[in-house]
Amino acid sequence: MKYAKVFIENSISKIGNLYTYKAEDSLDLKLGVRVVVPFGKGNRREIAVVVDIIEDIEDKSYEIKNIIEIIDFEPIINKDLIELGFWMSKKYLTQISKSFSPILPPGDIRKINRKIKILKQDLSIEEEKILKPVIENNYSLENLQKDENFKYKIRELIENKTIKLDFEILSIGGGKFQNFVKIKDDYINTISKNQLKLSDKQLAVMEYLSDKKEAKLSDILRELKISDSPIKTLESKGLLSIYKSRVERKTYDAVYKNKFHNLNMEQLQIYNSIIKDDPSVSLIHGLTGSGKTEIYLKLSKEITSKGGQVIVLLPEIGLTPQMIERFKGVFRDRVAVMHSKLSLGERYDSWQRIKNGDVDIVIGARSAVFAPFENLKMIIVDEEHDSSYRFHNALRYNAIDVAIKRMEILSGKVILGSATPDVCDYYLAKNNKFKLYELKKRAVEGAKLPNINIVDMRDELVKGNMSIFSSLLSQQIDEKLKNNEQIILFLNRRGFSNFVACRSCGHVIKCDNCDISMTYHRDMNILRCHYCGSTKNLVTICPQCGSKYIRQFGIGTQRVEEEVKKIFGNAQVLRMDRDTMSQKNSYDIIYEKMKNHEVDILVGTQMLAKGLDFDNVTLVGVIAADLSLFISDYRANETTFQLLTQVSGRSGRGKKEGEVVIQSYNPENYAVLFAKKSDYIGFYNKEIEYRRLFKYPPFVKMVNIYFISQKDKYLDNTAHKFLKDLENIIENIYIEHTRVISLPKIKRQHRNKLTIKVKPDELQILMDKIKEVMKLNEKIFEKHKIFIDIEFI
């Protein structure tokens, strides 16, 4: 007798519990298979997934029900993903239902069909006999009488690799069907026996099908330039049949050229070292245009040539057609794409192709880290510094942490790549936690880093220039347009935080306690620090120089676009931001227009700071570097350096020399100065000392605890009680915490926040204590309908 812990999907919105059932020894129970179980007082039949198998249980005080039936011959969820689900639940303090939601197949687990695929060319008489009912059932195992003898024989055929099982999701939107036409095997006898006479169009259809045997109805109509009337007539004569069949949606079905380039000496050394390394995490720090993608391609080719599989993660904003083009050019149809802009049906198709072993490479955003590969050997994370890898909805997770854990489970390799690595990751690499590799030259022969100029916008104000463009930037735009070269204008804006600064001297209003810029809250007309909660009245006179030119900073891409069109009326201008990129193929359209030189000036936000590679872009203008320099975040300098360096790297990627103009009210800031020199090492050395001094990551771990409710009546008291309870049970570890602060209401929800700092090696102890306090206050949270949300920094 064994015991199975199962996950019942229809309880996902209510409870996160697992349920225990008995499994007779005669049952061939495996992790990840679906089973039928009796559930609830009425013992209604439910479909569940087995996520744990144990030999015995401690508590036998209650009746444990038996599993009724095993549905699957093979698991629908891999063992490593199940282990990952439990790990996320513990690490991120989430219910099992939330931690398992991204690893489950899309749609309803109760609606997954299993179809056989015959791998052996010549079946024996016995094998044909076993498979006959399945073949007659359209190769499906559904709705067949399956006694234990039949199940045993099917399992034996799977183990002998005579057949394999493919998965097909039958949920809404899960399948796309088209009409197919198939010629009948005995069509010659039918024509002869019935002395049938065929028209010219009917003969053309029969000739077309005599070689192909079957084809899409739409293809026949298009290629023969006929209506469907001759085909229907042939069907009525018994010569062919028309039927519906599932077809795969083609998300990226263009024909891509093979662009596999030879590696230079620098790239080759890194490639060889990674291949020879034991399973580990490697960080490739390579300046923009140094050829990190070439290394990714070569590594992927090596892995897949030995039967392994690879996941390539990109920031959502970095899912450019270029990366897909490069990989599809080498791996053709063995590549699947997964990202949020795909339709539900396209996501179904991608999942099925991956699960069925039809692809070797998955390219996608953070959720692609859960791709259901059977033989995953490597996960590549491009632009690893990007904040979009941290998921901030119901289940908070860091895709890089998940990738590292998954490869630890599978003894595989993780490759992190960036021109501007996350400071914490670079610190780990410098301290031998990751393996560090450096690319110091641009890959294109003759290509150089662009010439970067910093313009002090305070001087522009003194000169009487009130425009958003400096004299230098206006002059450079005009010059590049005359030379038929392309321009990118970048607005360095992230999030919704506004800061207050003096336009005359550049002074920014900061928190007295935290040395972090304060955020302006329009509804209360105050300045607030989002770390310690302290507030100040909005100032109208600069405390540094006494100037009245003090203002809240915030500028939109739409205004930049309007100014460009007003000044450079003959230029073809496109804007690239969230408003203009809402469609699935928006990025592709802009990419093609830029590639074909149909755009002179591209205006956009951070989504154009990476991934775009055009040899005719010779000027990048950064409108206001300060917009990310003074967001209320300890990472503000890092964010600014990364964005400025990344967007500067879009210029001069070919053999034409590139120019960059960075406009700033704080040109002496070290993030701006090091970005001018493309000096990551210099920036890192300065930033890491700042982090050490003020006790920020990587020297501590930070945890934000949010208290959220529709009503604020009990919110403050509950949050303070939570903090007091936590302080009472904390022993043997040192923590620092802010006071409980009130945040602006969002979507009618009131929010309080508490931030805790702890030593990195004591984080798990802190999380266990937080979990205890959550359990202690569970009834209070339920009574007052207060939701707890935890964010890891």
Side-chain angles (χ1 to χ4, degrees):
M1 179 71 69
K2 292 179 181 177
Y3 297 87
K5 293 197 173 193
V6 304
F7 173 82
I8 299 176
E9 190 184 33
N10 69 354
S11 64
I12 193 166
S13 61
K14 297 178 183 177
I15 41 183
N17 296 336
L18 298 179
Y19 298 91
T20 304
Y21 287 87
K22 284 189 285 190
E24 300 291 343
D25 289 335
S26 58
L27 291 177
D28 185 23
L29 194 64
K30 297 178 183 176
L31 279 177
V33 298
R34 291 174 302 161
V35 292
V36 179
V37 295
F39 186 73
K41 291 182 180 178
N43 286 330
R44 66 180 184 275
R45 293 165 71 98
E46 290 282 1
I47 291 179
V49 179
V50 176
V51 294
D52 195 12
I53 300 172
I54 51 180
E55 296 296 327
D56 203 359
I57 57 171
E58 294 180 7
D59 185 5
K60 295 183 180 179
S61 60
Y62 61 96
E63 180 192 356
I64 300 175
K65 302 173 185 177
N66 281 50
I67 290 172
I68 298 171
E69 179 189 0
I70 296 176
I71 298 175
D72 299 308
F73 293 92
E74 293 293 312
I76 66 165
I77 305 176
N78 304 350
K79 185 179 178 181
D80 68 289
L81 288 175
I82 292 172
E83 187 174 339
L84 202 62
F86 282 115
W87 175 81
M88 287 194 297
S89 178
K90 182 179 180 182
K91 180 175 177 63
Y92 300 117
L93 292 187
T94 57
Q95 291 182 334
I96 291 291
S97 58
K98 287 182 180 176
S99 64
F100 269 76
S101 61
I103 71 176
L104 288 169
D108 190 339
I109 62 169
R110 291 168 295 184
K111 296 181 179 178
I112 296 177
N113 186 12
R114 294 141 308 140
K115 303 190 82 168
I116 66 161
K117 186 175 184 179
I118 299 173
L119 303 176
K120 190 176 170 184
Q121 287 189 341
D122 299 315
L123 296 175
S124 67
I125 295 172
E126 177 64 21
E127 288 167 342
E128 285 183 350
K129 184 179 177 182
I130 297 167
L131 293 175
K132 185 181 178 183
V134 189
I135 295 169
E136 289 176 349
N137 194 38
N138 195 24
Y139 292 85
S140 173
L141 287 166
E142 301 304 301
N143 304 317
L144 291 176
Q145 291 295 324
K146 297 186 283 287
D147 56 29
E148 286 305 314
N149 186 46
F150 176 77
K151 290 178 180 179
Y152 173 78
K153 289 177 178 177
I154 290 292
R155 287 193 197 99
E156 197 173 53
L157 291 176
I158 293 169
E159 289 170 6
N160 295 337
K161 300 196 182 312
T162 301
I163 63 171
K164 70 182 284 276
L165 291 188
D166 281 353
F167 293 83
E168 181 181 46
I169 300 173
L170 304 176
S171 302
I172 297 171
K176 180 180 179 182
F177 293 86
Q178 288 187 358
N179 286 323
F180 278 71
V181 181
K182 183 176 183 179
I183 196 167
K184 295 204 171 176
D185 293 336
D186 60 347
Y187 74 93
I188 295 176
N189 289 335
T190 303
I191 292 172
S192 175
K193 182 179 178 181
N194 298 306
Q195 297 182 342
L196 298 176
K197 292 184 179 181
L198 306 181
S199 67
D200 290 344
K201 290 180 179 179
Q202 291 168 6
L203 281 170
V205 172
M206 296 305 292
E207 287 174 8
Y208 182 91
L209 288 170
S210 61
D211 293 329
K212 299 177 182 288
K213 300 301 181 184
E214 60 183 342
K216 283 184 193 176
L217 175 60
S218 58
D219 290 346
I220 300 172
L221 301 183
R222 185 184 67 254
E223 293 185 31
L224 299 183
K225 297 178 181 177
I226 60 173
S227 68
D228 62 356
S229 178
I231 295 173
K232 288 182 176 178
T233 302
L234 289 170
E235 183 186 33
S236 67
K237 290 180 177 180
L239 300 179
L240 51 79
S241 59
I242 302 173
Y243 65 97
K244 286 188 178 295
S245 182
R246 190 180 183 279
V247 294
E248 183 192 329
R249 300 167 181 85
K250 296 291 185 181
T251 312
Y252 293 90
D253 57 353
V255 177
Y256 299 100
K257 294 179 181 177
N258 191 324
K259 291 186 178 180
F260 216 159
H261 303 302
N262 292 328
L263 301 186
N264 61 32
M265 189 58 68
E266 201 176 36
Q267 294 167 324
L268 195 58
Q269 286 174 347
I270 293 174
Y271 163 77
N272 287 330
S273 295
I274 291 173
I275 290 297
K276 290 174 186 174
D277 279 345
D278 293 328
S280 60
V281 181
S282 300
L283 174 62
I284 302 176
H285 169 222
L287 54 82
T288 54
S290 59
K292 293 183 289 294
T293 303
E294 295 300 332
I295 299 175
Y296 303 157
L297 283 164
K298 184 77 171 174
L299 288 169
S300 300
K301 191 74 173 175
E302 175 66 17
I303 295 293
T304 56
S305 69
K306 295 181 178 177
Q309 295 151 333
V310 180
I311 293 171
V312 182
L313 297 182
L314 304 169
E316 186 71 27
I317 55 176
L319 274 171
T320 64
Q322 281 171 318
M323 185 66 88
I324 295 164
E325 181 179 323
R326 295 301 310 281
F327 271 85
K328 279 199 168 265
V330 174
F331 298 99
R332 307 298 181 190
D333 290 335
R334 303 293 296 179
V335 178
V337 179
M338 298 178 73
H339 60 83
S340 63
K341 291 291 191 293
L342 298 181
S343 69
L344 188 59
E346 287 168 336
R347 279 181 241 174
Y348 284 133
D349 286 353
S350 288
W351 186 90
Q352 286 168 185
R353 290 182 69 209
I354 298 162
K355 184 64 179 172
N356 294 335
D358 296 331
V359 298
D360 305 312
I361 308 281
V362 167
I363 300 176
R366 58 182 172 246
S367 61
V369 74
F370 303 107
F373 273 139
E374 297 290 340
N375 195 29
L376 181 63
K377 296 296 182 185
M378 180 176 284
I379 299 178
I380 297 168
V381 186
D382 193 31
E383 309 292 0
E384 67 89 31
H385 65 275
D386 199 279
S387 62
S388 63
Y389 288 121
R390 293 186 283 272
F391 189 48
H392 297 300
N393 283 1
L395 167 63
R396 293 181 179 273
Y397 68 86
N398 185 330
I400 296 177
D401 289 344
V402 174
I404 291 171
K405 182 62 181 178
R406 190 172 184 192
M407 287 294 88
E408 179 188 308
I409 294 168
L410 293 172
S411 299
K413 299 180 181 183
V414 176
I415 313 299
L416 309 177
S418 176
T420 55
D422 181 280
V423 163
C424 295
D425 290 340
Y426 198 77
Y427 177 82
L428 292 173
K430 293 292 283 184
N431 287 274
N432 300 316
K433 302 292 185 184
F434 298 162
K435 296 193 176 180
L436 180 62
Y437 299 99
E438 306 271 1
L439 283 169
K440 298 179 180 178
K441 297 185 295 186
R442 281 198 154 179
V444 175
E445 193 173 341
K448 299 177 182 177
L449 288 172
N451 178 39
I452 302 176
N453 297 283
I454 300 176
V455 176
D456 189 338
M457 293 301 284
R458 296 170 298 190
D459 294 341
E460 295 292 309
L461 181 65
V462 171
K463 294 174 187 174
N465 181 9
M466 304 297 288
S467 167
I468 61 174
F469 300 124
S470 63
S471 302
L472 177 61
L473 182 54
S474 294
Q475 176 191 324
Q476 291 267 22
I477 293 172
D478 193 52
E479 183 181 313
K480 300 301 180 184
L481 289 174
K482 287 175 181 175
N483 292 336
N484 293 318
E485 293 168 359
Q486 292 169 295
I487 300 146
I488 288 176
L489 296 180
F490 173 63
L491 187 60
N492 194 1
R493 184 176 187 179
R494 289 172 73 96
F496 303 99
S497 295
N498 289 326
F499 64 93
V500 175
C502 175
R503 193 170 177 183
S504 181
C505 73
H507 177 73
V508 174
I509 308 300
K510 293 185 177 182
C511 172
D512 297 328
N513 303 322
C514 305
D515 196 36
I516 296 273
S517 61
M518 304 190 82
T519 300
Y520 173 61
H521 289 280
R522 187 185 298 274
D523 54 346
M524 295 176 281
N525 199 39
I526 60 167
L527 297 167
R528 181 185 294 279
C529 173
H530 280 185
Y531 276 84
C532 72
S534 62
T535 61
K536 288 182 182 180
N537 292 326
L538 180 64
V539 294
T540 55
I541 301 295
C542 176
Q544 189 81 13
C545 72
S547 167
K548 63 179 181 181
Y549 291 106
I550 195 149
R551 53 170 290 190
Q552 301 102 44
F553 270 64
I555 184 174
T557 48
Q558 196 166 2
R559 184 187 160 196
V560 176
E561 181 188 26
E562 289 169 359
E563 288 290 312
V564 170
K565 288 180 176 178
K566 189 189 300 181
I567 300 170
F568 307 100
N570 294 326
Q572 294 297 314
V573 184
L574 267 185
R575 177 160 53 94
M576 188 176 181
D577 56 22
R578 285 187 180 179
D579 294 331
T580 62
M581 302 295 290
S582 57
Q583 299 301 314
K584 177 177 65 179
N585 61 342
S586 301
Y587 214 106
D588 305 68
I589 292 169
I590 287 181
Y591 167 66
E592 288 299 325
K593 286 187 175 183
M594 284 291 289
K595 189 170 75 169
N596 298 328
H597 299 182
E598 296 173 29
V599 179
D600 298 314
I601 303 174
L602 181 61
V603 178
T605 53
Q606 59 177 343
M607 62 177 63
L608 56 70
K610 51 190 88 62
L612 293 177
D613 187 354
F614 302 108
D615 56 14
N616 196 45
V617 172
T618 57
L619 173 62
V620 166
V622 180
I623 304 303
D626 311 272
L627 289 179
S628 68
L629 193 55
F630 296 111
I631 57 175
S632 184
D633 190 337
Y634 76 91
R635 291 169 293 201
N637 286 305
E638 180 183 9
T639 299
T640 299
F641 174 81
Q642 287 168 343
L643 284 169
L644 294 182
T645 304
Q646 292 282 348
V647 77
S648 296
R650 301 311 105 201
S651 180
R653 293 179 76 90
K655 294 186 179 180
K656 295 179 182 177
E657 191 172 354
E659 298 284 340
V660 178
V661 177
I662 298 174
Q663 300 182 163
S664 174
Y665 287 96
N666 289 267
E668 66 281 353
N669 179 275
Y670 67 90
V672 178
L673 291 174
F674 283 119
K676 180 185 189 309
K677 296 183 286 185
S678 297
D679 182 4
Y680 176 82
I681 304 299
F683 168 77
Y684 168 80
N685 289 334
K686 181 82 173 178
E687 179 70 10
I688 205 71
E689 287 311 310
Y690 164 79
R691 302 277 184 93
R692 195 191 309 272
L693 179 64
F694 288 100
K695 293 184 181 178
Y696 284 124
F699 302 102
V700 299
K701 290 289 186 180
M702 293 174 64
V703 180
N704 288 333
I705 304 176
Y706 295 90
F707 303 84
I708 306 165
S709 178
Q710 295 282 353
K711 298 179 180 179
D712 66 344
K713 185 176 180 181
Y714 303 101
L715 196 61
D716 196 60
N717 287 341
T718 303
H720 279 92
K721 181 182 183 304
F722 185 99
L723 177 57
K724 186 177 180 181
D725 290 343
L726 184 62
E727 288 176 322
N728 288 339
I729 67 168
I730 288 287
E731 297 174 351
N732 303 324
I733 67 168
Y734 175 74
I735 66 168
E736 291 182 11
H737 62 80
T738 64
R739 64 185 181 85
V740 176
I741 63 173
S742 177
L743 298 178
K745 187 167 64 174
I746 295 179
K747 295 180 180 177
R748 298 184 179 180
Q749 289 188 323
H750 298 271
R751 303 181 302 148
N752 279 9
K753 174 187 168 188
L754 166 68
T755 300
I756 302 174
K757 291 180 180 179
V758 65
K759 291 179 182 177
D761 58 353
E762 294 177 340
L763 176 63
Q764 192 55 56
I765 300 173
L766 172 64
M767 298 314 298
D768 292 340
K769 296 299 181 183
I770 289 174
K771 192 172 183 178
E772 280 185 45
V773 178
M774 288 172 68
K775 190 74 177 173
L776 183 68
N777 289 274
E778 194 172 36
K779 290 183 180 178
I780 296 173
F781 296 148
E782 287 179 7
K783 181 180 178 181
H784 301 311
K785 296 181 179 178
I786 295 172
F787 173 68
I788 295 287
D789 190 15
I790 298 177
E791 177 183 30
F792 300 86
I793 303 175

